[in-house]
Every structure is written in structure tokens, then in C-alpha cells.
């Protein structure tokens, strides 16, 4: 009887040890992957046409590029040798970006597109026309309606939610749908990769009360990115990279 109980206890201990080993291995792999991304992996964007010449040089579309994260991404992408198309409602802010980038990175082309992403159809049409004859290899869906002061969902207006859904969900989804064929075609034509970068938020995993609309829209951005990444991998191999950032 005693031997049998010891044997059972030993089996339970072994099971917990195995679970602990799996968990530890997972943590170690995450740390190694983080080190690889930040210290080993190349970030020069040459696989997307950066620093190429002629028609092969890659173009990136960055929405909401006039300030904040969008502005920073536009500068970083230009610094790595890609041409950029920056989109915002403010022509003054766009001109400021263009002059700064051209001064800092001679040879980089910058096109400014003044448009309001809340006007979904017209804005997408303008962007599509702008990239039609360019080697578009990168789309950065940065634009989004930010959360206002926390308030109960019941106090939101229909106009508030339509704008949140229109910009955070509808615009980025439909712009991606419109430009994805361009990304695939250009990658195949020039033997390059393409990238779609979607901006989500840590709010997407927090299920934050009083931020129902914003949190839910950012969760959509995250889920959209993950499922699209899987689809692109299955259908096109490594041709189109899909990344979701959660600042």
C-alpha cells in the first residue's frame, strides 16, 4: 500500500516537472527570439526594396504620419532607404515631414497626400491612384481614433462609434484589401518581399472597462493581423509579411 502511494506521488511529481520544463523552455525561446529580433536580425529593409535603384526601389504608405508613432515610423523607414507616401489631414505637417526627410536622407522620395481617413472610400481611392505606378512593398496602417476620457458605453453616441469603427476597423481593412494585390504583384515582379504593419494597442488584451469601443477595435486589429498573416503564409509563403504592433 505504501509503495503504491509513493509510486502515485512520484508520477504526479514527474508530471509537474514535465509541465514546468515545457513552461521554462517556452520562456527561454521567447527570450532568445527577442534577442534575435533586437540584436541579430537585419532591419535594413533591403528585402522590401530599400536602397534599390530605379523601378525596383520600394515605396511605403504610412497613414496618420503627421505626428506620434506614424511620424516616427515614416522617419525610420525613410532612414533605411525606402521612398515614402505620407498621409494626413494637415498639409503643413506633411510638408514638415517631407522637408525633414529629404534633408536628412538625400535621394529619398517623399510624396504627401492630404486626405481624411474618416472619409473611407475617397481616401482609399486617392491612395490607390497614388501608388498605381509605384513599386509599393510596404503598408503601415497607423491611423486610428484614440480613446477619449473613459466613459460608460451607454453614454457613447452613435456618431462616436461610427467614427471609431470607420477609422480603426473599416478603413484599415478596406485599404489593405485594396492594396494587397499591388503588394503581391510587385513582390513577384521584382523578387522582393512585402510587408503590412498594423497598429493595435496593449488595450486589446486588457479588456478595459469604460473603453469598450477603443479596446474592441484594437482587438480587431490584432486578430485581423494574425489571421491575415496565417493566410499569406499558407497562400504565398514568405512573400508578404504581416506584423501587428501593440504599443
Amino acid at each position: 500500500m505504501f509503495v503504491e502511494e509513493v509510486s502515485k506521488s512520484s508520477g504526479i511529481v514527474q508530471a509537474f516537472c514535465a509541465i514546468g520544463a515545457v513552461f521554462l523552455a517556452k520562456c527561454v525561446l521567447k527570450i532568445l527570439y527577442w534577442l534575435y529580433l533586437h540584436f541579430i536580425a537585419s532591419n535594413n529593409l533591403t528585402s522590401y526594396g530599400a536602397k534599390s535603384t530605379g523601378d525596383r526601389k520600394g515605396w511605403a504608405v504610412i497613414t496618420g504620419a503627421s505626428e506620434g508613432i506614424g511620424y516616427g515610423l515614416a522617419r525610420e523607414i525613410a532612414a533605411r532607404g525606402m521612398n515614402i507616401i505620407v498621409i494626413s489631414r494637415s498639409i503643413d505637417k506633411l510638408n514638415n515631414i517631407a522637408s525633414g526627410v529629404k534633408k536628412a536622407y538625400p535621394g529619398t522620395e517623399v510624396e504627401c497626400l492630404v486626405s481624411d481617413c474618416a472619409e473611407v472610400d475617397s481616401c482609399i481611392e486617392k491612395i490607390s491612384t497614388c501608388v498605381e505606378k509605384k513599386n509599393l512593398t510596404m503598408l503601415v496602417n497607423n491611423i486610428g481614433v484614440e480613446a477619449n476620457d473613459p466613459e460608460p458605453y451607454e453614454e457613447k453616441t452613435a456618431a462616436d462609434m461610427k467614427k471609431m469603427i470607420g477609422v480603426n476597423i473599416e478603413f484599415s481593412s478596406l485599404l489593405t484589401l485594396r492594396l494587397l494585390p499591388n503588394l503581391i504583384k510587385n513582390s513577384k515582379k521584382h523578387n522582393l518581399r512585402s510587408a503590412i504593419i498594423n497598429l493595435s494597442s496593449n488595450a486589446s488584451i486588457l479588456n478595459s472597462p469604460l473603453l469598450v469601443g477603443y479596446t474592441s477595435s484594437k482587438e480587431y486589429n490584432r486578430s485581423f493581423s494574425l489571421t491575415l498573416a496565417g493566410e499569406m503564409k499558407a497562400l504565398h509563403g514568405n512573400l508578404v509579411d504581416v506584423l501587428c504592433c501593440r504599443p
Side-chain angles (χ1 to χ4, degrees):
M1 186 71 174
F2 176 74
V3 174
E4 183 179 344
E5 290 296 329
V6 171
S7 178
K8 288 181 179 179
S9 298
S10 177
I12 293 173
V13 170
Q14 289 177 357
F16 276 110
C17 286
I19 293 171
V22 170
F23 178 78
L24 180 62
K26 185 177 180 180
C27 291
V28 170
L29 287 174
K30 284 185 176 181
I31 293 171
L32 291 175
Y33 185 59
W34 184 88
L35 292 172
Y36 169 77
L37 285 178
H38 289 81
F39 298 103
I40 299 175
S42 172
N43 64 355
N44 57 25
L45 304 185
T46 53
S47 58
Y48 305 105
K51 298 183 179 179
S52 295
T53 57
D55 293 340
R56 195 173 186 272
K57 187 168 184 179
W59 283 81
V61 164
I62 305 107
T63 62
S66 62
E67 57 189 8
I69 294 174
Y71 175 80
L73 287 171
R75 295 274 305 191
E76 289 296 323
I77 292 169
R80 285 161 175 75
M82 292 189 70
N83 296 326
I84 60 173
I85 301 169
V86 288
I87 301 151
S88 176
R89 293 176 298 179
S90 171
I91 184 60
D92 292 334
K93 291 181 179 180
L94 290 177
N95 286 337
N96 181 56
I97 295 172
S99 61
V101 167
K102 289 178 180 179
K103 182 178 180 180
Y105 315 110
T108 297
E109 294 186 52
V110 182
E111 289 199 14
C112 300
L113 188 59
V114 180
S115 189
D116 185 354
C117 297
E119 298 175 1
V120 177
D121 293 335
S122 63
C123 185
I124 290 176
E125 192 62 37
K126 290 179 183 178
I127 296 171
S128 180
T129 301
C130 183
V131 305
E132 187 174 355
K133 296 183 179 180
K134 295 179 174 62
N135 182 30
L136 177 69
T137 58
M138 185 175 293
L139 168 62
V140 181
N141 284 312
N142 169 72
I143 190 66
V145 175
E146 297 182 355
N148 295 320
D149 294 333
E151 61 180 340
Y153 187 67
E154 65 197 65
E155 295 180 9
K156 287 284 186 182
T157 65
D160 290 336
M161 292 309 302
K162 285 181 179 180
K163 184 176 181 180
M164 181 79 69
I165 294 169
V167 176
N168 291 9
I169 297 177
E170 183 182 7
F171 177 78
S172 60
S173 300
L174 295 183
L175 181 61
T176 301
L177 179 64
R178 185 69 170 268
L179 299 186
L180 184 55
N182 298 63
L183 295 170
I184 295 171
K185 179 189 69 175
N186 293 336
S187 292
K188 289 181 177 179
K189 179 180 179 180
H190 297 287
N191 193 28
L192 295 168
R193 297 173 73 154
S194 291
I196 299 169
I197 303 173
N198 295 318
L199 269 290
S200 178
S201 168
N202 276 325
S204 67
I205 58 175
L206 297 177
N207 299 322
S208 306
L210 305 181
L211 294 174
V212 175
Y214 178 76
T215 298
S216 301
S217 68
K218 289 303 174 180
E219 172 59 21
Y220 172 86
N221 298 150
R222 186 189 73 86
S223 179
F224 176 75
S225 302
L226 290 174
T227 50
L228 182 60
E231 181 177 304
M232 290 298 101
K233 182 72 174 178
L235 296 178
H236 301 288
N238 294 322
L239 198 67
V240 182
D241 299 318
V242 183
L243 174 70
C244 181
C245 301
R246 293 190 313 209

